[in-house]
């Protein structure tokens, strides 16, 4: 249902025409009532006009649920600052024009029925600048959420730190950052909506420290403003410089949404991050594996390799939309880029919220080229690393779906630290204090696959494999010809049967006759059944027991015939 928002403080009427508004984006004259119905988004150019704090709150929260938090008056002029006007006079004028006592409004509300603490900035109050009082209120919002164990929802619109309060303003960056740090350490969820504009001390503190960052379409976000940047470096800037779309492409935000899509997304995110796991399955023993899991068909390894590479074979995104109940994709490594060869986010599976990370190849030639044939760059692994941190911070189990020929071997990957990125994620997942269930769904090439295979439970689909090198690569090195690839595959014993027999894989997930590609829906049902079973089992362990069992599991791989490992898995120790 379309929700209308009150007229924002920043929406200016055309001179002499109180019922009309001039769009700052295209200059088109817009009828105010039509603009109100369209959530203050220009229907001609899609420019998102700025909203005041109260309008933003009305847009996002359940009707009638917001209760403002009152604050005792604080010190208003720590430097006795004067420029062309006394600072107290500027504060009084800002309050009169915006209708707010400061540049942020704090309170409690419900979003989609979930109780939250909200802190929403108002650009109409001195450009949303952050002074001592803003720092105090945002910190109090985080403290209130921590005190009551609630999610924190932030919306930013700010020019940065408040110059009139000097170094006192500067140190509010540290004040609010530590408040959000305490909230995160308590395992609580936070989300920040980055609205236009968000700059300076706000962008470099709480605006970019939330668990999930959502940019409003077309908003400008950065540290230094574009004029400052251009005057400093004397270079032409990209046309989309510092837009949220620019940030998404460079891996710096999780999503970019239109104004109408913000509330539905927040409802989904809050639902996923506040849902409790369903009751564990009856019985204390380890549940039986999926049908056929204990008796994996011993097929020719080269046939396994060929089936694992079938273009029509379901990919991670296919499974996310069929085997799982809901999925919200999160993007970017928060440092450099968003690698499309790795997808990940938060999903729901049989009433349990999980973080899912997987390789993505695509199906068509266009998709495969765009996703680099499922071969990740370092930023793909760093995106996965960030999602592992997200899972641990919020106490969510992790599911990984592995299907890659290997990590991207190009020079740009080496320049950006491919080896280090893979090593970091392997180490991090080996010590993660939440359960990890990995599934090899297709190809499992070398360290690029192992990066997502370090887990408590390793499942492998019937026609999938793990290998230290591709059969072609092995044949070229040892047999001096790639034609010997089938011989190399057999020599390396590629396939699910060998992985299960040696205890490297804890179970084999059967596929429909002929392979997963012949009946993707049935393949998704089989995968879902196996995941639900494994998660119910492994989620019973406390973190210390989980780490000890994982350590023993990894230490025993390659010892004896692997059967000792199965005894560890069977008791979940």
């Amino acid at each position: 249902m379309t929700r209308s928002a009150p007229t924002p403080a920043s929406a200016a009427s055309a001179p002499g025409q109180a019922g009309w508004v001039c769009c700052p984006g295209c200059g088109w004259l817009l009828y105010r009532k039509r603009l109100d119905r369209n959530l203050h988004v220009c229907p001609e150019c899609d420019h998102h006009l700025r909203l005041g704090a109260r309008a933003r709150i009305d847009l996002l929260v359940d009707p009638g649920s917001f209760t403002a938090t009152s604050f005792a008056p604080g010190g208003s002029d720590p430097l006795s600052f004067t420029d062309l006007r006394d600072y107290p006079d500027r504060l009084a004028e800002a309050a009169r024009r915006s209708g707010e006592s400061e540049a942020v409004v704090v309170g409690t509300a419900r979003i989609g029925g979930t109780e939250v603490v909200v802190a929403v900035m108002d650009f109409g109050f001195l450009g949303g600048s952050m002074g001592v009082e803003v720092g105090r209120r945002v910190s109090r919002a985080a403290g209130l959420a921590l005190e009551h164990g609630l999610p924190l929802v932030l919306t930013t619109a700010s020019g940065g730190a408040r110059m009139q309060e000097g170094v006192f303003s500067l140190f509010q960056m540290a004040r609010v950052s530590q408040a959000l740090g305490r909230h995160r350490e308590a395992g609580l969820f936070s989300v920040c909506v980055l609205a236009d504009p968000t700059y300076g001390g706000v962008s470099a503190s709480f605006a970019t420290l939330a668990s999930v960052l959502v940019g409003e379409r077309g908003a400008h976000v950065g540290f230094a403003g574009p004029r400052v940047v251009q005057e400093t470096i004397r270079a032409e800037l990209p046309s989309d410089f510092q837009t949220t779309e620019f940030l998404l492409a460079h891996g710096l935000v999780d999503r970019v949404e239109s104004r109408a899509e913000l509330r539905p997304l927040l409802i989904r995110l809050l639902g996923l991050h506040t849902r409790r796991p369903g009751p564990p399955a009856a019985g204390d023993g380890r549940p039986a594996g999926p049908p056929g899991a204990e008796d994996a068909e011993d097929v020719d390894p080269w046939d396994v390799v060929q089936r694992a590479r079938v273009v029509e074979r379901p990919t991670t995104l296919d499974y996310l939309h069929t085997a799982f109940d809901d999925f919200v994709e999160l993007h970017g490594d928060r440092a450099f880029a968003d690698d499309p060869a790795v997808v990940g986010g938060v999903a729901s599976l049989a009433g349990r919220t999980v973080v899912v990370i997987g390789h993505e190849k695509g199906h068509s030639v266009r998709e495969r080229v765009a996703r680099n044939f499922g071969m990740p760059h370092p930023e793909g692994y760093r995106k996965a690393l960030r999602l592992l941190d997200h899972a641990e911070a919020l106490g969510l189990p992790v599911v990984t779906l592995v299907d890659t020929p290997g990590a991207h071997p190009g020079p740009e990957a080496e320049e950006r630290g491919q080896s280090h990125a893979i090593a970091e994620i392997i180490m991090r997942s080996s010590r993660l204090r939440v359960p990890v269930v990995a599934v090899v769904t297709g190809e499992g090439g070398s360290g690029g696959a192992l990066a997502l295979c370090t887990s408590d439970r390793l499942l492998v689909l019937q026609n999938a494999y793990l290998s230290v090198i591709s059969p072609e690569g092995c044949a070229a090195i040892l047999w001096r010809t790639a034609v010997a690839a089938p011989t190399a595959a057999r020599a390396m014993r590629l396939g699910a049967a060998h992985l299960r027999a040696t205890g490297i894989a804890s179970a084999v997930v059967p596929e429909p006759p002929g392979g997963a590609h012949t009946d993707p829906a049935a393949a998704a049902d089989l995968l879902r059944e196996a995941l639900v079973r494994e998660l119910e089992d492994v989620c019973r362990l406390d973190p210390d027991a989980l780490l000890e069992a994982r350590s023993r599991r990894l230490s025993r791989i390659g010892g004896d015939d692997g059967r000792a490992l199965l005894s560890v898995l069977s008791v979940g120790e």
Side-chain angles (χ1 to χ4, degrees):
M1 181 175 115
T2 302
R3 296 163 59 89
S4 61
T7 302
S10 57
S13 300
Q17 302 181 57
W20 297 83
V21 175
C22 183
C23 173
C26 64
W28 199 261
L29 206 57
L30 305 171
Y31 187 47
R32 182 179 292 277
K33 289 186 177 179
R34 183 187 180 195
L35 190 62
D36 291 346
R37 290 194 299 270
N38 207 43
L39 305 180
H40 298 280
V41 176
C42 176
E44 303 298 329
C45 71
D46 196 46
H47 180 83
H48 286 49
L49 281 72
R50 293 172 183 169
L51 292 178
R54 303 288 170 163
R56 181 72 65 176
I57 290 168
D58 287 348
L59 175 75
L60 297 179
V61 309
D62 296 353
S65 69
F66 177 72
T67 301
T69 301
S70 59
F71 292 88
S76 59
D77 190 9
L79 299 180
S80 300
F81 191 92
T82 299
D83 45 37
L84 299 177
R85 298 177 61 186
D86 291 341
Y87 178 45
D89 292 342
R90 289 194 181 276
L91 290 173
E93 175 67 11
R96 185 188 65 79
R97 291 172 63 89
S98 68
E100 304 295 347
S101 60
E102 250 301 344
V104 65
V105 177
V106 173
T108 57
R110 291 186 302 277
I111 298 178
T114 300
E115 189 175 358
V116 298
V117 174
V118 298
V120 180
M121 302 198 75
D122 195 320
F123 192 77
F125 192 106
L126 290 182
S129 54
M130 181 168 65
V132 172
E133 184 62 18
V134 169
R136 178 169 79 111
R137 295 189 183 193
V138 173
S139 298
R140 177 57 184 145
L144 189 64
L146 176 62
E147 180 182 343
H148 295 283
L150 297 176
L152 177 63
V153 177
L154 305 157
T155 298
T156 57
S158 172
R162 191 169 296 176
M163 294 176 290
Q164 294 91 337
E165 297 185 19
V167 72
F168 297 102
S169 174
L170 179 67
F171 268 81
Q172 299 313 302
M173 295 170 64
R175 180 181 190 177
V176 296
S177 296
Q178 68 86 26
L180 259 74
R182 293 181 62 207
H183 185 263
R184 179 189 296 179
E185 288 165 8
L188 297 172
F189 177 66
S190 59
V191 57
C192 184
V193 176
L194 300 164
D196 186 64
T198 298
Y199 280 110
V202 170
S203 73
S205 60
F206 69 93
T208 48
L209 290 177
S211 309
V212 172
L213 302 182
V214 181
E216 188 171 67
R217 187 182 295 171
H220 289 79
V221 180
F223 183 62
R227 280 184 295 180
V228 173
V229 173
Q230 197 152 24
E231 289 174 5
T232 301
I233 67 174
R234 302 292 180 182
E236 191 68 24
L237 300 176
S239 59
D240 64 344
F241 183 64
Q242 293 184 331
T243 63
T244 47
E245 290 79 5
F246 178 90
L247 268 60
L248 182 66
H250 288 80
L252 300 175
V253 296
D254 289 291
R255 300 179 69 92
V256 172
E257 303 288 346
S258 70
R259 187 165 290 165
E261 294 166 336
L262 288 173
R263 175 176 158 82
L265 176 64
L266 290 180
I267 290 173
R268 290 176 67 199
L269 285 170
L270 290 166
L272 285 168
H273 286 91
T274 55
R275 182 179 290 128
R276 294 289 179 261
D284 296 325
R286 176 177 168 79
E294 301 301 321
D295 300 308
E297 183 185 359
D298 196 356
V299 298
D300 181 70
W302 183 243
D303 289 340
V304 170
V305 171
Q306 297 307 299
R307 290 178 187 174
R309 293 173 173 176
V310 171
V311 173
E312 293 80 14
R313 192 171 177 86
T315 67
T316 291
L317 284 176
D318 293 329
Y319 285 124
L320 282 167
H321 293 127
T322 52
F324 294 79
D325 302 314
D326 190 16
F327 172 63
V328 176
E329 186 173 359
L330 304 178
H331 294 270
D333 63 351
R334 299 270 179 98
F336 179 76
D338 179 47
D339 187 351
V342 174
V343 298
V346 187
S348 174
L349 179 66
R352 187 188 301 276
T353 298
V354 297
V355 168
V356 184
I357 308 164
H359 301 99
E360 177 59 35
K361 291 179 176 177
H363 293 292
S364 68
V365 173
R366 184 188 296 269
E367 288 173 346
R368 292 203 151 204
V369 170
R371 295 191 180 273
N372 202 33
F373 298 89
M375 296 187 292
H377 287 78
E379 48 271 22
Y381 292 115
R382 290 178 178 130
K383 172 165 66 172
L385 187 65
R386 182 176 75 82
L387 291 171
L388 291 181
D389 290 339
H390 182 89
E392 185 176 73
L394 297 164
L396 302 175
V398 175
V399 173
T400 64
L401 302 176
V402 180
D403 184 15
T404 179
H408 182 68
E412 66 276 19
E414 294 295 327
E415 291 170 358
R416 298 199 290 271
Q418 185 72 288
S419 295
H420 183 265
I422 292 172
E424 280 287 335
I425 193 170
I426 292 173
M427 181 178 69
R428 186 73 177 95
S429 54
S430 73
R431 302 302 299 162
L432 204 68
R433 295 181 66 81
V434 294
V436 184
V437 176
V439 187
V440 184
T441 63
E443 293 184 277
S446 193
L450 184 65
L452 298 186
C453 281
T454 308
S455 57
D456 303 292
R457 301 285 187 269
L458 178 60
L459 309 181
V460 57
L461 266 61
Q462 188 175 349
N463 292 299
Y465 70 92
L466 276 172
S467 178
V468 68
I469 190 173
S470 72
E472 293 84 355
C474 178
I477 294 171
L478 299 181
W479 278 266
R480 308 284 181 171
T481 173
V483 175
T487 304
R490 295 172 191 125
M492 291 189 289
R493 301 185 186 182
L494 302 186
H498 176 67
L499 293 172
R500 177 61 177 145
T502 57
I504 292 174
S506 44
V508 176
V509 182
E511 298 183 24
H517 64 285
T518 64
D519 191 345
D525 289 341
L526 290 165
L527 176 61
R528 175 187 175 91
E529 179 185 350
L531 283 173
V532 170
R533 182 178 292 106
E534 295 293 338
L535 286 167
E536 285 178 349
D537 182 37
V538 75
C539 287
R540 298 173 181 180
L541 299 179
D542 64 66
D544 290 335
L546 197 70
L547 288 175
E548 180 61 27
R550 194 182 300 154
S551 177
R552 287 208 293 266
R553 175 184 188 279
L554 295 173
S555 297
R556 296 188 187 193
I557 290 179
D560 301 323
D561 64 349
R563 287 293 174 181
L565 175 61
L566 294 182
S567 66
V568 175
L569 292 173
S570 66
V571 296
E573 300 180 347

